[in-house]
Each structure stands twice: as C-alpha cells, then as structure tokens.
Amino acid sequence: MEQIGFDFGVEAPRKLTKVSPARLATFEDCPRRYRMSYLDRPSPTRTGAWAHSTLGAVVHNALRALFDLPVIKRVPQRAMALVAEHWKDAGFEDSDQAARYRARAKGWVAEYVEHNDVSVDPVGLERWVSAPVTLEPGSGPSLIIEGRADRIDQRGRELVIIDYKTGRREPDEYEARSSQALALYAVAAARTLRTPCYQVELHHVPTGTIAAAEHTEQSLKRHLQRADETAGDLRLATDTLNAGGDEDVLFPARPGRRCSWCDFRPSCAAGQEAGPASQPWELLAP
C-alpha cells in the first residue's frame, strides 16, 4: 500500500492554519475553553491539578524514560522505580490515596513491561511531527498539522502510532479508528519520517488492553477533511475576534457534564451553572 497521496510539495499560500489534535478537539468540545486556553491573555484563572492527569503524566513519563534505557535495563523492576522517580502527589485527596495509586501505577508498568516486547527501540518518543496538508488538487496546503506522539514504532517498512491511556475505560478498535488525534499523527509522522504510517494503537496500561486499527488512504482523508473544516471555523472565529468581534458569540460555551472538571471552571459562569464541581480525584480509575 502506498502512502496517502497528498501533495506536500506545492508552494504554501501566505497564510496557513497551524493546528494540533489537542487544539482541534478543544475547539470542537467547547469554543470558549479554546479561547481561554489559547487566545486570552493573561490566561484566566484555572482550577488546581487533577489526580487523574497527574497519574497519566507519571505513567507516560516512566514509560518514556524506560525506552531511553539500554534494552538490558528495560525490566519490570526498573519500570517500577521510574514511577517512583517521576511521582507527584498533585490532585490526590491525601497522602494515603496518593500512595495507593503510586503502588497501583507501579504494578501497571511492571505488567506492561512483562507482557509486551520492549526490546525494540522506538523511532520516536514524545516525537514532534508536522505536515502541511493539501486536500484540493492543484491548490496549496490549507493547514499544517503538528504535535507530539507518545511513541512511534517501526514494524517492517511502516510506522505505528502508539498512544498510552490510563483512564477508567478500556479502549476498543472503534475508539482507535475514530481517534482524530491518532489519524493526524499518522499523517504527520509519515511526512516527518518519510515512511508510510497506517497502523494506530491505544495501549491501556491499567488493563494491558491494546486497541489497534489500520487506516486506509480514504479513512485518513476523512479525518483530514474534518480537521480542515474545524480549522476553517477556528481561523474565521479568531480573525473576527481580532477584528473586534464579540468573543461570547464567536467562542460560545457548550455546557455539559465535562464542565464539572474543566480547568477553566473558576472563570466560566456557564460552566459553574452546568453542575457541581468535581473533586480533583473523582476521575481516577476505581
């Protein structure tokens, strides 16, 4: 299978929209949160740390550090020690709860190392990838997609995008296939590393589940078209705001359950009205 046939060599127009999967997802979920995250200066008041985010960051950092080691040192005991080295208590209810989840995270990474092949060096760890994207034949790129992929492996002649998960729910093949972030990383990694990339995987470290999907040119193009549409809306709203437009009209709040744990809840009246605030440790996997 040949790599997706987008023209990366056409001269770019004067203005391109640079987007990351995180920016696109934030704008789609809640335009107001996007504005507060990326446009408002000074940045509005945020909540404190969230325990589930702390836990996820620790596991990511420990696994990244593990793959930086020589193969002979990539053993369960070392993985557990790396969790301890990277551990933080931010967002946990108290020291006892933090200690329980620290022990749990050690067990997760030890099992991950025990049951997965960690003897092959990834071609990228937290690797920055970027690619201009052309969707209309004969035109220049309309956007640049970029971001950091958790891990990029090479299997045979193709790349594989790997994203670690530590949340409550086990991912499945549908989630892997429908993930816009994974699809965009696949396109950007193929461009950056000049190697075909269609396989994407979600590695759920708490359960050892691996949800995998293989994209086609058509499925990647659908993700890119959706990203291009969102980027166009985002660009128009931002340009209109800079020209003096109404920020609340251009970047409206979309209240929902997620408002209970939104970082910008202290600065958003609509979010506060949507429901009670979550405790910083409530989203931890039970």
Side-chain angles (χ1 to χ4, degrees), residues 165-244:
K165 293 297 182 183
T166 56
R168 296 183 175 188
R169 186 169 50 85
E170 293 182 35
D172 56 20
E173 179 184 351
Y174 173 80
E175 185 173 344
R177 188 178 306 280
S178 63
S179 169
Q180 185 182 67
L182 293 183
L184 296 186
Y185 285 140
V187 173
R191 171 65 174 86
T192 301
L193 300 174
R194 300 184 182 280
T195 306
C197 185
Y198 294 97
Q199 183 84 4
V200 297
E201 295 180 355
L202 295 171
H203 290 202
H204 191 242
V205 184
T207 62
T209 300
I210 295 178
E214 184 168 351
H215 280 290
T216 63
E217 289 191 11
Q218 290 71 32
S219 64
L220 288 177
K221 187 172 183 178
R222 285 194 294 271
H223 278 288
L224 288 172
Q225 288 172 330
R226 174 185 156 201
D228 190 54
E229 292 171 0
T230 303
D233 293 340
L234 188 161
R235 180 172 57 246
L236 178 59
T238 302
D239 289 346
T240 307
L241 178 66
N242 292 337

Side-chain angles (χ1 to χ4, degrees), residues 96-191:
D96 288 341
Q97 186 188 57
R100 291 198 303 273
Y101 276 89
R102 183 170 62 248
R104 192 170 296 182
K106 287 181 178 180
W108 293 348
V109 297
E111 289 289 324
Y112 185 87
V113 173
E114 183 72 26
H115 295 101
N116 290 276
D117 182 6
V118 296
S119 64
V120 178
D121 290 332
V123 297
L125 291 170
E126 296 291 334
R127 175 67 186 263
W128 183 266
V129 291
S130 177
V133 174
T134 299
L135 291 171
E136 296 298 330
S139 65
S142 56
L143 72 158
I144 297 175
I145 52 176
E146 58 185 18
R148 293 185 187 276
D150 284 354
R151 191 172 114 205
I152 306 173
D153 285 0
Q154 182 157 2
R155 297 178 194 163
R157 296 183 177 181
E158 295 191 5
L159 302 176
V160 180
I161 301 296
I162 293 172
D163 191 58
Y164 299 122
K165 293 297 182 183
T166 56
R168 296 183 175 188
R169 186 169 50 85
E170 293 182 35
D172 56 20
E173 179 184 351
Y174 173 80
E175 185 173 344
R177 188 178 306 280
S178 63
S179 169
Q180 185 182 67
L182 293 183
L184 296 186
Y185 285 140
V187 173
R191 171 65 174 86

Side-chain angles (χ1 to χ4, degrees), residues 61-74:
N61 290 336
L63 289 174
R64 176 186 177 179
L66 184 81
F67 280 101
D68 280 334
L69 296 174
V71 172
I72 195 172
K73 294 185 178 181
R74 297 175 194 169

Side-chain angles (χ1 to χ4, degrees), residues 259-276:
C259 293
S260 294
W261 58 85
C262 177
D263 286 346
F264 291 100
R265 181 182 173 86
S267 302
C268 180
Q272 294 171 23
E273 293 172 0

